[in-house]
Amino acid sequence: MSFHPEMEYAPARFHRSARTLAEPGGDFTFTPENQARFDANVARYPADQRKSAILYALYLAQQQQGYLTAAAMRHVASQIRCTAAEVEDVVSYYTMFYTRPVGKYVLNVCRTLSCALRGAERVTEELSAALGVKPGETDPTGTFTLMEVECLGACDRAPVVMVNDDWHEQLSPQDCAAFIDDIKSRGRAAFTGCHLHKEGEPQGPPLR
Amino acid sequence: MAYEPVLVKHVAEPNAYTLDSYLKHQRGYEGLRKALTFTPNDIIEQVKASGLRGRGGAGFPTGLKWQFVLKDTPKPKYIACNADESEPGTFKDHVLMERNPHLLIEGCAIGCYAIGAKVAYIYIRGEFYHVQEILEAEIEKAYAAGYLGKNIFGSGFNCDVYVHRGAGAYEAGEETALIESLEGKRAQPRLKPPFPAVAGLYQCPTAVNNVETLCNVPPIVLNGPEWFTGLGPDKNGGPKLFCVSGHVKRPGVYEASMHTTLRQLIYDEQYAGGMLDGRTFKAIIPGGSSVPLLLEAHLDTPASFDDIQKAGSLLGSAGLIVLDDSVCMVWLAMNLLHFYRHESCGKCTPCREGGDWLYKLLQRVERGEGQEKDIDLLFGVANNILGKTLCAFGDAAATPVLTTLKLFRAEYEAHVREGRCTIPAEWRAKQPVFAHAH
């Protein structure tokens, strides 16, 4: 890694990016349901452009075993008909693919400006204290992983936390500990969802 | 005359997202029916006459973009709808897709007809899974009702609309990076030219349009270009969604004409309702995090592409982030550079390395360990990113540093002089964590 000539080199402060290999993992193949879903998705693209379905295939693999192993990437490569290196290239670029096991609930706290102005930094601190883990870590029971993410695109409902594919909005620092307890007891029902309720669902917060 | 919303009038109603509601309240799919009675070229001429400008950030005329799409080619053509809404402070497409999905679907179909495409891909960011579920379910309904698929309205026109889920990359919002991602690669921008209109998705002619842009097309076809131009200032016609966030009473998406001033959007009761109680206005980012700050003196500027540009900033994606006097501008630049450093795709060296340097320098200054020369170094590094990258990301990353240095240099100097952050707010972290290892 190169540095600007006027920047002092302090190894403690500047990290080198390390190459981390994905776990080898056990044998992996799509379940018949996932295979059918993949086949339906790949048909959306021209026949010679199977690679367009790579993100979808990776989501399926991740859903199936929680995170992506080298074996899973090889299976995706065989489905897409590309090399495993091309799959790893994609996996290592996008933030929503995990190459390490994560908790049952992955708490993604939006940390970018609009959320930060409304207390997102404090939310991360409180969640971190309530769970006893730092951002990027999973608690010992494997229930929660705490992460910070960049702008989620719901700045009017700041601070926003994305939990797996669900959203929880306007989480104040004071409510963080209760929020964790609520997830433990009620699961997905603890989340506010996004913007407005759907038909037949309980009234959500008003649209502004 | 009170402004009558066009795009989001019904979104607060519980069933707003359904086909029934769309047909009932918004003359649903009549725009498509009408469009199919014209030639594709007529539609492009109408959109050109309306002066519709891209709502994604650049403000490029949509009609021209469509006209540039190569006509005489045996290759298929595509519409790639940019629904990767990731610009900090922007959340308008989110609301449109979640609450008014059929308007986008109809816009995609008309767009396809105009440029001679048969397929539109809606590239939605991976985080919007809850939106994608709604969008895909409504696309199914549109197929079932005959608004998509084969021989629409008996015209012989075929159109497929598919949703393509991204996986967490800000850079995928750049049009050529979006195409790369659609092709199943890393979302990194391409060298232009050739532009997507000539060689885009799968090297075929492609129009990349923002969600809000396509949502404006059905009303233009239905009501005519004159109606559209009449809604706003010269060359800035039509309805516009403004996303107001930050230290205001009622953050939200507000539809208004581009006559509306920044002051009205912040203070009027029908919009954001003023600053939070007891807070004083300090500055505003008028177009998403990538544009320069504006101050109190600029607040009477109409929020149009041209007027905001004259005032020294850009309307961009119309993400208005309102800042009160508790915001430390060094912290603000640091917060945004954390974003740009993390989201840089890594293709161009100035952006990849420079963003990292800027963040580390800002960190040093923010926590009071900076020196006088760091301020000049910040300036130097930022200026060496500006204009030296393939896409606009580099400029966007340099902007928060350059604009805060230009307008609030005294705050940087105070940090250095006093060896601490001089404006610590209670809403910030008590014990800042600096060593994010990602």
Side-chain angles (χ1 to χ4, degrees):
Chain A
M1 190 184 202
S2 64
F3 283 89
H4 191 281
E6 288 189 50
M7 293 232 8
E8 181 191 347
Y9 179 73
R13 216 182 289 162
F14 302 110
H15 71 274
R16 280 165 186 275
S17 49
R19 166 140 169 85
T20 44
L21 290 169
E23 283 181 19
D27 287 349
F28 182 93
T29 45
F30 280 148
T31 58
E33 299 79 47
N34 280 346
Q35 186 66 49
R37 289 165 79 187
F38 173 78
D39 291 339
N41 185 272
V42 87
R44 295 177 169 193
Y45 307 99
D48 57 344
Q49 300 291 348
R50 291 178 70 87
K51 208 177 171 195
S52 280
I54 196 168
L55 296 180
Y56 188 81
L58 288 167
Y59 275 121
L60 286 178
Q62 179 158 295
Q63 215 174 47
Q64 195 171 314
Q65 67 172 18
Y67 66 107
L68 295 168
T69 56
M73 289 186 222
R74 276 198 303 277
H75 181 67
V76 168
S78 72
Q79 293 287 327
I80 297 291
R81 296 173 199 157
C82 67
T83 66
E86 284 173 279
V87 177
E88 199 184 354
D89 183 49
V90 167
V91 170
S92 60
Y93 182 82
Y94 294 94
T95 56
M96 292 182 69
F97 297 125
Y98 309 129
T99 48
R100 291 278 175 276
V102 289
K104 185 178 172 198
Y105 299 102
V106 183
L107 304 170
N108 291 290
V109 185
C110 174
R111 60 153 301 284
T112 318
L113 189 58
S114 292
C115 277
L117 292 172
R118 292 294 191 125
E121 290 185 354
R122 299 270 303 110
V123 166
T124 306
E125 281 187 335
E126 294 298 329
L127 288 175
S128 174
L131 296 169
V133 297
K134 290 202 216 37
E137 293 176 354
T138 302
D139 74 347
T141 64
T143 314
F144 294 99
T145 300
L146 180 63
M147 293 205 195
E148 284 187 306
V149 292
E150 302 292 352
C151 190
L152 287 172
C155 318
D156 51 341
R157 318 293 298 167
V160 184
V161 183
M162 181 173 77
V163 191
N164 304 344
D165 285 331
D166 294 300
W167 287 34
H168 187 81
E169 306 185 314
Q170 293 183 307
L171 178 63
S172 71
Q174 302 86 281
D175 297 339
C176 286
F179 176 55
I180 296 295
D181 291 338
D182 204 19
I183 300 176
K184 280 180 189 160
S185 60
R186 295 201 294 148
R188 285 184 70 190
F191 310 136
T192 61
C194 194
H195 281 99
L196 272 175
H197 61 289
K198 286 189 223 165
E199 197 177 9
E201 288 185 3
Q203 181 81 35
L207 184 91
R208 287 163 165 172
Chain B
M1 194 180 72
Y3 177 85
E4 182 81 0
V6 180
L7 307 174
V8 296
K9 186 172 178 192
H10 300 283
V11 295
E13 291 161 20
N15 305 332
Y17 66 96
T18 58
L19 181 57
D20 285 348
S21 163
Y22 185 60
L23 294 173
K24 190 169 145 204
H25 294 301
Q26 299 185 69
R27 298 167 67 194
Y29 293 98
E30 281 181 35
L32 177 61
R33 190 189 294 269
K34 190 174 168 190
L36 294 177
T37 64
F38 292 101
T39 67
N41 206 41
D42 287 340
I43 302 297
I44 294 182
E45 288 304 322
Q46 283 182 30
V47 173
K48 263 167 77 181
S50 75
L52 170 63
R53 296 171 70 167
R55 268 37 174 165
F60 188 81
T62 306
L64 273 183
K65 202 178 218 180
W66 286 0
Q67 194 179 27
F68 291 154
V69 173
L70 215 57
K71 299 283 175 308
D72 302 322
T73 167
K75 289 180 178 175
K77 302 176 195 92
Y78 296 101
I79 290 265
C81 171
N82 188 342
D84 189 61
E85 185 163 68
S86 308
E87 177 76 10
T90 315
F91 41 96
K92 59 190 177 61
D93 302 343
H94 187 170
V95 174
L96 279 174
M97 289 187 288
E98 192 182 13
R99 306 302 305 167
N100 204 357
H102 285 285
L103 186 60
L104 173 63
I105 299 166
E106 187 178 356
C108 285
I110 299 176
C112 280
Y113 180 68
I115 68 160
K118 291 190 175 57
V119 182
Y121 292 106
I122 300 175
Y123 185 98
I124 192 166
R125 64 180 298 189
E127 291 87 344
F128 282 180
Y129 188 66
H130 56 289
V131 184
Q132 187 185 348
E133 281 185 316
I134 295 172
L135 197 53
E136 294 207 311
E138 296 308 313
I139 288 174
E140 284 297 309
K141 298 216 175 90
Y143 269 107
Y147 302 128
L148 292 176
K150 299 258 181 292
N151 194 18
I152 299 167
F153 296 129
S155 65
F157 170 62
N158 305 333
C159 182
D160 287 312
V161 175
Y162 300 119
V163 182
H164 182 102
R165 186 184 184 190
Y170 169 74
E171 182 58 14
E174 200 275 342
E175 59 177 5
T176 56
L178 181 144
I179 289 169
E180 288 280 299
S181 186
L182 254 173
E183 292 182 0
K185 303 173 198 154
R186 294 177 154 227
Q188 293 186 320
R190 294 176 179 171
L191 187 64
K192 291 184 273 193
F195 289 91
V198 176
L201 183 61
Y202 312 130
Q203 295 300 315
C204 301
T206 306
V208 184
N209 293 116
N210 172 260
V211 171
E212 191 190 346
T213 312
L214 289 172
C215 285
N216 272 298
V217 172
I220 290 174
V221 173
L222 268 182
N223 305 321
E226 298 78 25
W227 162 83
F228 191 84
T229 50
L231 284 180
D234 190 30
K235 297 198 178 81
N236 291 272
K240 182 79 196 85
L241 296 184
F242 295 97
C243 321
V244 191
S245 66
H247 293 138
V248 288
K249 283 208 182 85
R250 286 203 315 272
V253 176
Y254 299 103
E255 184 179 330
S257 86
M258 287 190 260
H259 285 300
T260 318
T261 64
L262 294 174
R263 190 183 300 282
Q264 285 173 312
L265 288 168
I266 300 170
Y267 289 98
D268 274 14
E269 274 311 310
Q270 55 177 322
Y271 304 123
M275 301 297 292
L276 286 173
D277 287 330
R279 309 281 190 96
T280 315
F281 177 87
K282 182 171 185 177
I284 181 169
I285 300 178
S289 66
S290 307
V291 308
L293 290 159
L294 292 178
L295 304 174
E296 175 82 34
H298 301 114
L299 284 188
D300 292 313
T301 312
S304 75
F305 289 106
D306 293 336
D307 288 296
I308 299 278
Q309 192 165 6
K310 263 180 243 155
S313 186
L314 294 162
L315 184 62
S317 57
L320 284 69
I321 308 175
V322 182
L323 311 165
D324 73 13
D325 57 357
S326 67
V327 180
C328 164
M329 288 297 161
V330 182
W331 171 85
L332 175 130
M334 184 180 80
N335 181 287
L336 290 180
L337 259 298
H338 185 291
F339 172 84
Y340 288 110
R341 162 186 183 259
H342 181 252
E343 297 295 337
S344 173
C345 78
K347 186 161 184 168
C348 311
T349 313
C351 168
R352 181 187 65 237
E353 301 295 317
D356 196 42
W357 291 348
L358 287 178
Y359 176 68
K360 283 166 180 165
L361 279 164
L362 285 164
Q363 222 181 58
R364 195 152 86 185
V365 174
E366 206 280 335
R367 67 176 129 172
E369 293 168 11
Q371 302 164 25
E372 196 71 35
K373 67 174 185 182
D374 288 342
I375 301 176
D376 294 326
L377 188 53
L378 275 168
F379 196 73
V381 173
N383 272 320
N384 274 303
I385 304 174
L386 209 63
K388 293 183 172 62
T389 52
L390 279 182
C391 75
F393 188 108
D395 294 4
T399 298
V401 175
L402 293 173
T403 183
T404 50
L405 272 172
K406 184 178 164 203
L407 299 171
F408 297 97
R409 193 180 173 107
E411 287 188 21
Y412 281 84
E413 286 164 354
H415 277 72
V416 171
R417 198 172 52 242
E418 300 195 19
R420 64 186 177 90
C421 178
T422 47
I423 315 177
E426 95 289 344
W427 43 262
R428 281 168 49 188
K430 284 181 180 153
Q431 288 176 327
V433 184
F434 283 109
H436 295 304
H438 50 208

